[in-house]
C-alpha cells in the first residue's frame, strides 16, 4: 500500500533502496535481509569484475546499482555474465554518474561515439539500392516454387489421411469455413515452418536487452509450450529509439507518482467524461514540441490514422498515398470513402506525374475538380528505412497546392538534431506541413499517437475524429511517460523565463508551466543534457551499423541516418536460419525477420531497430555476428570496397563522421 | 511485264534467302528448348484434326498476353473518360485549381459544444473535482461501472509492473511485443468468460472493426442490427461484405431477414459463404438489451456465426460481471466471437475478442490492428487482470451496481417529460425527451416490412436534432450546476449510418452509495422539469 506521505512528492535521492518495488518489500522479510542479499550480490559482482578492471573501481553501492538490475541483485542465483550482457566492457569509474541499469540502457561514456542527425543542405539523399547477382533471384523464386509444390502435396495427402486437421478449413455442417484452405495456404505452409521466429513471448523491459521466455514445440510449431526458463538477449528489435523503455530513472519515477495521484484510467472518451487535465497539458506540450499550433492525442497509434483520416476526407476528396504506406493509413483511407491513388515509393517523378494527371482530370467520370487532395507520406518507412524526400515534396506542394500529411510514427524523436522528426532533420519549418501525425510507442517508450496542425483543424478533428467521441482517452501513466520523456528531450526552461518567449522559439525548451506542477524531473533530464546524449547516441549507432554492414559487404536498404536498418537476405529459407543463428550465439541477439506479404516477394529481410540504449560495443557485437553468419549464409553480395571487421570496429568514429 | 516480275523476284531473292535462314535458325533454337518437341507434336496433330482450332488457340494466347500486360492499377489512362491535355493545358489547370480548406473553422455552436466538455482535475472517480469550476461533483458521466477507478490494489499492482516492465511495450505482438502479462490477461479473460481463448487489442474502439474484417470478406453475408454502434458500422464498411439489416432489437424481424437471405441464396444458387449475425449485448446507443437465448437459437437454426459486442455488458451484468452469458446462463462457447472492452468496464485500456482457439489464432495473423499496432502497455494489462480478479472475488460490486441502477430508474421512470429506452438492468441509461416534435411514425405505419438492404428503418421518426441537443445540453448544464455530472451522448453527426436520437447518457457506478444515486437522480429530474417547463 502506498503511504500517504508518498503523495507529497518525496525528495528524490540516488539511493539504492529506492529501487525496490513494493513486491520486493513484501518479499523481503526485513530491511536487514535485503541488505544481506544486496551485499552478497555486490560481492559476487565485484569478484568477477576485479579480473578485468584496470581503472578505479567505483563505490561499491553505486557500482552494483549500475550493473545489476534489482531482480538480478535479489535473485538467489548470481547473474551469470557468460553472455557478456550484464556489465559494460569498460566499467564506470568514480567520475561517471550512472543512473541507468546497464541491461536496460547501456553505459557508453565515450564522447567520440556521438553524432548529430541532420541533413546536409544541398546534398542528395543517399539510398542504397543494390541488386544481388541473378542466381540469388533465381534461387529465391525456386524456393517459393518448391514450397508451394510441397504445400500442395501435403494438403492433398493431409486431407485424405488426416481429415480432422483440415475440418476447420473446409465447409462443415452447413457452415462455410472461417478461413478456407486456399486463403490460409501461405500461413499454413510458409509461416508455420518458421513460426519460432515470430511472436516470441518476453518479460521485463524491452530495453537494450530483453528477457525471452524460452519455449519449445513438439508439433512443428503448431503449438508452443513454455519451458520455464528465460534467455537474456541483446535487443535490436524493439522500437525503442531513444531508449526510454526503462523501469528506473526520472521518467519511471514520474509515472509512479502519476499512478498514485491519478490512478490507471480516465474512464471514458474525451468528449464523454474522460478528459483529464493531463490531456490538456499533454496536448499543449506536444504542439510546442512539434512547433505546431495545436495537437490532439489518441490512445492508440494505429487508431490515430484509422480514425483521423476519415475525419479529414470525404467523397470528392483524393488521397495520394505512397505505395509502402502503413496499414493504418490504408485502413483510414478505406473508411474515408475518398478516392485513393498511389505513387511509387519515394519516387518524386512518379508523384509529380500523378499530381498533374489527377488535377487535370479531376474526379472520375464527372471531371469536377477535387475538393481537396491530401498527400500522405511517412517520415521514415518502417520496412525500408527510407526517409521521405521532404524538400522536394514541399516544392511540389507550393506548385500543386495539395495538403500534406506526414506520418512520423518512426521518425519523431528519432531524427533531427533536436529529435523533432523529419522537418527538423531537413531543417524546414514544421508549419509548412499541414498535418503532422506520429506515435508515442517508439521514441518515447509509451503508447498512443498524436496529430498536430493549425488550431482550427485540430478542433475540427476533436469533434469529427472517431476517437474523441467513442474511444477511450489515453491513460494517465502513459500520458506522463510521454510528458516526462518529451520534456527531457526538449529540456525545461528556467521558471523565471517568460512563457511567451519560450513558446516562440522552435525548436526550444519546454516551459515549466507546460508540465504538471507536481512533476519533479532529475537535473539531467531537466537541463536536456540526457535527452541530447540519447539523440546523439542514436544517430551514431544508426550510422555505424548501417555503414558497418555495408563495409562488410551486406546489402542494406534505406538511408544511412535511419535508425531502421534492413539487411536484405533475399532467400526465404535464410530468414529463419539467420534468426536462429543470432539467437544461439554466446551473446544471444534477437532480430526481426520479415518477408512477403510485408515486403516484396524477393526481398525478405532482417530489420534492425537501433536504439540509443545500445553501446558502441553492442553494435560491434552485432556486426561480428552478422560477419560470421554472413559468411555461412552467403549474404555478402555487395560489390565494392570491403573492410575487415577489426578495421571497422577500430575506426567506428571515422566511419560515421565521413560524409558520403 | 514478265521481265518486270522476274526482275522483282530476283531483287527480292536475298530477302527470301534471309527469311528462310532465319526460319531454319528459329526452328533449330526452338527444338533445342527442352520439351519443345512435345509442343510441336501437339500443335501439328491438333492442326491436322481441326485447322480452325489453331486459329482459336492463337487468338486465346494473344488475349492472355494482352490481359497479362494490362496494368492492374486503377489508373484511368486509356479509359473512355480520360481526356488528353497538352502540357500547357495541364499547367493552366494546375494553376486554376483551388482546393477547399482541409478543415473548416468551427461554428459558434460547435465551439460551445467543445467547450462544454468538463475537464477533470486530478484523479477521475465517483466524486471527481472538475477543473473549470473547482467543485466536486457526483459522476454519472464517466465509465466507472464497477468502481475500479482509483482502486488502491490496482494502483499498487500497476506500480510494481512499472518497476519491472517499464511503460511501453515498444513493439507489435509479432515482434517481441508479446509480454507475459498480455498472455496472462488473455487467459484471465478466457477463464472468466469460459471460452477457449481470447486475444487482446490495444484500444477498445478499434477492436471490433478489425475482428469483423479479419473474418468477413467480400461476398460474405453479415446480418446486423439497425441500432449498432459506430465501431461496428466501421467494421461492416471495411469488411466489404454484403450487409442485411434487421430492425433494432427485433428478433422476429431478424428471423425474417435470415429467411430472406436464405431464399435469395437458393434462388441465385450461390456458393456457401460465411454468414454472420452482428449485434450488441447492451446497445451503446440506447441501452437496450438483446434476448440472447433467442438469438442463439436463431443462429443455430440458420447456421450463422454470432459476433456479439459486449463492450458495455461485459463487466457490468451477471452475478459477477461475466456479461450477458452469465445473466442468461448461456455457455459463452455458444457465441462464436465475444468482443469486450477492457477500457469501459475494467478501467484500463484496450479491447478483447474471446472465442474458440481457431477464432483467436486466425486473428493473430489476419487482424490488422492486432498485427500492425504496438501491444498494450504492461501496466495496463496487469491492471485489467487485477480488475477481473476483483470482480471474481467480490460479487457484491455487481449487486450494488444493480441496486444503484434500480434506485436511479425508480426516480427517472416517473418523470413525465422523458422516456428511457434502456433495459431496466442496463448500467447505461439513455434519456430521450418525450415530446419529440414530429413523430410521423405513429400516423402512417405501413404494413410493408422494412427493406433489409438499407440501414435506415422504414418510417423512421424524424427529430429536430439541433433543438433537442440544445435542450438536453441545458439539462446537463443545469444538473452540473447542482453538482451532478452527466453527459449528452456524443455522436458523429453526418458520419453515422442512422442518426441516433439525441439523448443524455448516464453511466451508473457501484462506487456511489444508494443515497447519492437517489440524490443525483432527483437533481436530474429537477433539471429536466426546470428546463422543459421553461421552454413551454
Amino acid at each position: 500500500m502506498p503511504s500517504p506521505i508518498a503523495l507529497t512528492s518525496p525528495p528524490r535521492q540516488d539511493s539504492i533502496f529506492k529501487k525496490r518495488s513494493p513486491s520486493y518489500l513484501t518479499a523481503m522479510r526485513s530491511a536487514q535481509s535485503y541488505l544481506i542479499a544486496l551485499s552478497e550480490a555486490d560481492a559476487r559482482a565485484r569478484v568477477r569484475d576485479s579480473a578485468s578492471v584496470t581503472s578505479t573501481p567505483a563505490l561499491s553501492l553505486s557500482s552494483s546499482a549500475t550493473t545489476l538490475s534489482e531482480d538480478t541483485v535479489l535473485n538467489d542465483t548470481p547473474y551469470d555474465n557468460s553472455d557478456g550482457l550484464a556489465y559494460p566492457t569498460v566499467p564506470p569509474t568514480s567520475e561517471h554518474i550512472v543512473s541507468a541499469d546497464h541491461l536496460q540502457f547501456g553505459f557508453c561514456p565515450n564522447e567520440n561515439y556521438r553524432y548529430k542527425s541532420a541533413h546536409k543542405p544541398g546534398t542528395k539523399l543517399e539510398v542504397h539500392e543494390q541488386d544481388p547477382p541473378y542466381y540469388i533471384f533465381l534461387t529465391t523464386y525456386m524456393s517459393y516454387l518448391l514450397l508451394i509444390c510441397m504445400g500442395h502435396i501435403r494438403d492433398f495427402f493431409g486431407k485424405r489421411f488426416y481429415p480432422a486437421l483440415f475440418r476447420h478449413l473446409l465447409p462443415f455442417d452447413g457452415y462455410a469455413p472461417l478461413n478456407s484452405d486456399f486463403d490460409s495456404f501461405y500461413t499454413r505452409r510458409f509461416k508455420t515452418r518458421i513460426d519460432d521466429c515470430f511472436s516470441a513471448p518476453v518479460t521485463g523491459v524491452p530495453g537494450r536487452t530483453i528477457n525471452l521466455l524460452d519455449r519449445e514445440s513438439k508439433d512443428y510449431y503448431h503449438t508452443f509450450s513454455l519451458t520455464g526458463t528465460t534467455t537474456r538477449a541483446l535487443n535490436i528489435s524493439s522500437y525503442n529509439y531513444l531508449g526510454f523503455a526503462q523501469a528506473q530513472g526520472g521518467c519511471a519515477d514520474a509515472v509512479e507518482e502519476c499512478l498514485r495521484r491519478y490512478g490507471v484510467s480516465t474512464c471514458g472518451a474525451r468528449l464523454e467524461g474522460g478528459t483529464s487535465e493531463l490531456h490538456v497539458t499533454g496536448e499543449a506540450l506536444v504542439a510546442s514540441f512539434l512547433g505546431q499550433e495545436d495537437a490532439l492525442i489518441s490512445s492508440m497509434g494505429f487508431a490515430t490514422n484509422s480514425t483521423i483520416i476519415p475525419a479529414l476526407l470525404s467523397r470528392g476528396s483524393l488521397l495520394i498515398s505512397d505505395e509502402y504506406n502503413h496499414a493504418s493509413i490504408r485502413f483510414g483511407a478505406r473508411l474515408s470513402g475518398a478516392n485513393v491513388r498511389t505513387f511509387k515509393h519515394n519516387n518524386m517523378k512518379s508523384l509529380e506525374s500523378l499530381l498533374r494527371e489527377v488535377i487535370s482530370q479531376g474526379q472520375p467520370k464527372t471531371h469536377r475538380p477535387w475538393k481537396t487532395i491530401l498527400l500522405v507520406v511517412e517520415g521514415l518507412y518502417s520496412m525500408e528505412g527510407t526517409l521521405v524526400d521532404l524538400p522536394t515534396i514541399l516544392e511540389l506542394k507550393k506548385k500543386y497546392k495539395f495538403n500534406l500529411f506526414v506520418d512520423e510514427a518512426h521518425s519523431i524523436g528519432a531524427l533531427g538534431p533536436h529529435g523533432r522528426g523529419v522537418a527538423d532533420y531537413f531543417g524546414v519549418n514544421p508549419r509548412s506541413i499541414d498535418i503532422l501525425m506520429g506515435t508515442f510507442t517508439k521514441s518515447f517508450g509509451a503508447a498512443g499517437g498524436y496529430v498536430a496542425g493549425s488550431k482550427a483543424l485540430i478542433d475540427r478533428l476533436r469533434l469529427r475524429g472517431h476517437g474523441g467521441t467513442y474511444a477511450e482517452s489515453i491513460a494517465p501513466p502513459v500520458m506522463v511517460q510521454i510528458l516526462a520523456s518529451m520534456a527531457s528531450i526538449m529540456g525545461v526552461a528556467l521558471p523565471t523565463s517568460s512563457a511567451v518567449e519560450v513558446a516562440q522559439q522552435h525548436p526550444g525548451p519546454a516551459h515549466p508551466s507546460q508540465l504538471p506542477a507536481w512533476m519533479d524531473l532529475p537535473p539531467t533530464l531537466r537541463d536536456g543534457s540526457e535527452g541530447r546524449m540519447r539523440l546523439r547516441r542514436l544517430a551514431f549507432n544508426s550510422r555505424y551499423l548501417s555503414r558497418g554492414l555495408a563495409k562488410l559487404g551486406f546489402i542494406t536498404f534505406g538511408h544511412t541516418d535511419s535508425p531502421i536498418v534492413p539487411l536484405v537476405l533475399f532467400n526465404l529459407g535464410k530468414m529463419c536460419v539467420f534468426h536462429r543463428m543470432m539467437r544461439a550465439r554466446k551473446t544471444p541477439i534477437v532480430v526481426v525477420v520479415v518477408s512477403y506479404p510485408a515486403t516484396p516477394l524477393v526481398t525478405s529481410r532482417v530489420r534492425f531497430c537501433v536504439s540509443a540504449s545500445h553501446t558502441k560495443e553492442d553494435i560491434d557485437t552485432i556486426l561480428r555476428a552478422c560477419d560470421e553468419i554472413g559468411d555461412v549464409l552467403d549474404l555478402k553480395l555487395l560489390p565494392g570496397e570491403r573492410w575487415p571487421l577489426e578495421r571497422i570496429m577500430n575506426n567506428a568514429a571515422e566511419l560515421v563522421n565521413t560524409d558520403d | 511485264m514478265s521481265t518486270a516480275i522476274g526482275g522483282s523476284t530476283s531483287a527480292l531473292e536475298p530477302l527470301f534467302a534471309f527469311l528462310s535462314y532465319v526460319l531454319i535458325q528459329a526452328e533449330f533454337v526452338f527444338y533445342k528448348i527442352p520439351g519443345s518437341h512435345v509442343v510441336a507434336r501437339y500443335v501439328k496433330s491438333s492442326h491436322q484434326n481441326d485447322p480452325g482450332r489453331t486459329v482459336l488457340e492463337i487468338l486465346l494466347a494473344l488475349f492472355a498476353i494482352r490481359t497479362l500486360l494490362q496494368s492492374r492499377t486503377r489508373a484511368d489512362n486509356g479509359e473512355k473518360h480520360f481526356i488528353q491535355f497538352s502540357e500547357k493545358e495541364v499547367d493552366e489547370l494546375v494553376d486554376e485549381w483551388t482546393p477547399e480548406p482541409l478543415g473548416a473553422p468551427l461554428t459558434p455552436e460547435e465551439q460551445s459544444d467543445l467547450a462544454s466538455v468538463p475537464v477533470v482535475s486530478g484523479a477521475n472517480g465517483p466524486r471527481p473535482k472538475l477543473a473549470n469550476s473547482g467543485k466536486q461533483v457526483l459522476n454519472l458521466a464517466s465509465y466507472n461501472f464497477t468502481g475500479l477507478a482509483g482502486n488502491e490494489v490496482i494502483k499498487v499492482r500497476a506500480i510494481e509492473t512499472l518497476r519491472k516492465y517499464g511503460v511501453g511495450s515498444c513493439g507489435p505482438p509479432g515482434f517481441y511485443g508479446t509480454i507475459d502479462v498480455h498472455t496472462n490477461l488473455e487467459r484471465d479473460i478466457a477463464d472468466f468468460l469460459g471460452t477457449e481463448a481470447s486475444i487482446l487489442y490495444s484500444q477498445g474502439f478499434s477492436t471490433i472493426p478489425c475482428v469483423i474484417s479479419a473474418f468477413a470478406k467480400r461476398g460474405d453475408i453479415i446480418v446486423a442490427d439497425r441500432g449498432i454502434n459506430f465501431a461496428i458500422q466501421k467494421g461492416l464498411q471495411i469488411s466489404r461484405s454484403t450487409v442485411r439489416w434487421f430492425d433494432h432489437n427485433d428478433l422476429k424481424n431478424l428471423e425474417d431477414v435470415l429467411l430472406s437471405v436464405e431464399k435469395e441464396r437458393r434462388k441465385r444458387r450461390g456458393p456457401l459463404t460465411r454468414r454472420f449475425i452482428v449485434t450488441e449485448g447492451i446497445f451503446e446507443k440506447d441501452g437496450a438489451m438483446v434476448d440472447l437465448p433467442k438469438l442463439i437459437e436463431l443462429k443455430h437454426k440458420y447456421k450463422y456465426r454470432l459476433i456479439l459486442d459486449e463492450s458495455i455488458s461485459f463487466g457490468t451484468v451477471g452475478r459477477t460481471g461475466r456479461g450477458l452469458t452469465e445473466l442468461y446462463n448461456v455457455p459463452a462457447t455458444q457465441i462464436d466471437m465475444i468482443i469486450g472492452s477492457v477500457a469501459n468496464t475494467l478501467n484500463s485500456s484496450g479491447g478483447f475478442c474471446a472465442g474458440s482457439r481457431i477464432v483467436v489464432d486466425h486473428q493473430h495473423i489476419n487482424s490488422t490492428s492486432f498485427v500492425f499496432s504496438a501491444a498494450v502497455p504492461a501496466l495496463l494489462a496487469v491492471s485489467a487482470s487485477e480488475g477481473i480478479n476483483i470482480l471474481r472475488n467480490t460479487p457484491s460490486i455487481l449487486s450494488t451496481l444493480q441496486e444503484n441502477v434500480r434506485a436511479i430508474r425508480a426516480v427517472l421512470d416517473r418523470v413525465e417529460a422523458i422516456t428511457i429506452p434502456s433495459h431496466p438492468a442496463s448500467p447505461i441509461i439513455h434519456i430521450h425527451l418525450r415530446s419529440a416534435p414530429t413523430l410521423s411514425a405513429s400516423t402512417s405505419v405501413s404494413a410493408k416490412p422494412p427493406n433489409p438492404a438499407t440501414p435506415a428503418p422504414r418510417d423512421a421518426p424524424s427529430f429536430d436534432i439541433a433543438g433537442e441537443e440544445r435542450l438536453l445540453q441545458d439539462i446537463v448544464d443545469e444538473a452540473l450546476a447542482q453538482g451532478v455530472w452527466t453527459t449528452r451522448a456524443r455522436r458523429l453527426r453526418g458520419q453515422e449510418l442512422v442518426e441516433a436520437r439525441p439523448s443524455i447518457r448516464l453511466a451508473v457506478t457501484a462506487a456511489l452509495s444508494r443515497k447519492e444515486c437517489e440524490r443525483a437522480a432527483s437533481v436530474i429530474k429537477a433539471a429536466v422539469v426546470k428546463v422543459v417547463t421553461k421552454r413551454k
Side-chain angles (χ1 to χ4, degrees), chain A residues 224-439:
Chain A
F224 289 93
S225 55
L226 296 181
T227 58
T229 55
T230 60
T231 305
R232 191 165 283 279
L234 189 60
N235 181 11
I236 184 93
S237 300
S238 291
Y239 303 136
N240 178 28
Y241 299 128
L242 291 181
F244 279 111
Q246 283 178 287
Q248 276 91 35
C251 294
D253 292 341
V255 175
E256 177 173 340
E257 182 62 25
C258 160
L259 279 167
R260 292 188 202 286
R261 284 171 178 264
Y262 292 87
V264 174
S265 160
T266 54
C267 315
R270 284 297 298 276
L271 297 181
E272 279 190 349
T275 299
S276 157
E277 57 186 356
L278 284 177
H279 296 139
V280 181
T281 315
E283 290 180 344
L285 186 70
V286 170
S288 82
F289 180 78
L290 296 165
Q292 290 280 18
E293 268 178 41
D294 202 354
L296 162 65
I297 289 176
S298 122
S299 58
M300 181 186 182
F302 183 96
T304 316
N305 275 334
S306 70
T307 64
I308 290 295
I309 291 175
L312 283 168
L313 301 171
S314 56
R315 273 184 208 291
S317 319
L318 175 71
L319 187 147
I320 297 183
S321 164
D322 188 290
E323 62 176 333
Y324 288 161
N325 270 350
H326 190 252
S328 57
I329 297 173
R330 283 179 261 152
F331 198 96
R334 252 166 85 178
L335 285 183
S336 71
N339 280 56
V340 181
R341 296 289 296 272
T342 55
F343 64 97
K344 280 215 180 74
H345 174 56
N346 234 359
N347 185 332
M348 293 302 123
K349 287 218 177 72
S350 159
L351 173 63
E352 183 162 11
S353 74
L354 180 64
L355 280 167
R356 292 178 73 81
E357 184 203 315
V358 293
I359 295 176
S360 62
Q361 294 293 325
Q363 298 185 33
K365 288 186 187 166
T366 62
H367 294 289
R368 286 200 194 107
W370 297 101
K371 282 195 213 154
T372 46
I373 295 180
L374 183 69
L375 173 67
V376 183
V377 288
E378 288 188 43
L380 172 61
Y381 290 84
S382 64
M383 286 296 165
E384 310 296 315
T386 40
L387 293 176
V388 67
D389 189 353
L390 194 61
T392 315
I393 286 188
L394 288 176
E395 272 168 36
L396 290 176
K397 180 171 167 10
K398 274 198 203 106
K399 186 170 174 199
Y400 296 98
K401 294 171 283 189
F402 54 84
N403 294 109
L404 180 59
F405 180 113
V406 180
D407 177 341
E408 294 216 75
H410 287 269
S411 52
I412 193 67
L415 286 174
H418 311 91
R420 313 291 164 92
V422 275
D424 190 23
Y425 178 80
F426 288 109
V428 302
N429 182 1
R431 299 219 175 165
S432 57
I433 301 167
D434 299 285
I435 304 162
L436 284 172
M437 177 271 164
T439 65

Side-chain angles (χ1 to χ4, degrees), chain B residues 458-478:
Chain B
R458 190 172 289 272
D459 310 318
S462 58
F463 316 110
D464 170 17
I465 288 176
E468 284 197 25
E469 283 194 338
R470 224 168 16 244
L471 268 186
L472 291 169
Q473 188 58 45
D474 287 347
I475 296 173
V476 168
D477 292 344
E478 175 64 29

